[in-house]
Amino acid sequence: MLGVIGDVVQDVVVWQLEDVRHATDTQSAITVTRGGSAANVAAFAAPRYPTRFIGSVGDDLGGVVLTRELTERGADVRMQVHGTTGTIVVLIDQTGERLMFPSRGASQRLEAVDPTWLDDLELLHLTAYSFDGGSTAQSVLDAVREHKRRGGLVSLDVSSTGMIDHMGVGTFLELMDN
């Protein structure tokens, strides 16, 4: 079984249909969808291969919808509930370039993972977004160590150059040595 641990958020995607018109309305098309690099991997993989998702959402409508959507995609969902669900506003201009405004919410609040949630996992996939603050970073590191102790494999999606810049390349490389 594939295990995926990390971020799950609501993406509010704003497609600009014209140049930004400051101080007034700008024509756009807006959608709300599942986001979070880890959740997106789990949603893609689950219909194709047994997949377990481990993450944290808020005690709110967004958390309920995201959990249900991952379950409906076929993932074995193990979700903690803390605070409010994270949201990322994604602005996409007319050329297709994006700007992202993350508010990670509960995705940064994952606490110690129940060791039984790691049972039967061959590969544990994580995203570097897990290390972008809060208790999630240590909880994911602890889960990785436990999974490796059991002889499991680990894969990593580096995620975002912007996040690595904020963290510092040296700090990020040190983290990857764990």
Side-chain angles (χ1 to χ4, degrees), residues 33-50:
T33 186
R34 177 202 64 254
S37 183
N40 289 342
V41 168
F44 176 80
R48 295 160 179 83
Y49 192 80

Side-chain angles (χ1 to χ4, degrees), residues 81-169:
V81 178
H82 305 287
T84 58
T85 300
T87 301
I88 298 177
V89 175
V90 183
L91 301 180
I92 304 174
D93 69 18
Q94 292 173 286
T95 67
E97 190 59 49
R98 69 183 184 174
L99 294 170
M100 294 171 49
F101 298 88
S103 177
R104 300 211 177 276
S107 281
Q108 288 186 318
R109 298 186 62 193
L110 184 69
E111 295 177 359
V113 172
D114 181 333
T116 63
W117 291 6
L118 303 173
D119 289 351
D120 304 319
L121 300 183
E122 303 160 50
L123 174 71
L124 182 61
H125 177 75
L126 57 141
T127 67
Y129 284 126
S130 296
F131 304 112
D132 193 24
S135 59
T136 297
Q138 189 60 53
S139 299
V140 168
L141 277 175
D142 291 345
V144 165
R145 287 182 185 122
E146 174 60 18
H147 182 66
K148 287 168 78 173
R149 186 192 67 73
R150 296 176 181 202
L153 300 172
V154 176
S155 66
L156 170 73
D157 174 351
V158 174
S159 299
S160 164
T161 58
M163 187 207 59
I164 294 169
D165 286 343
H166 281 282
M167 182 182 290
V169 172

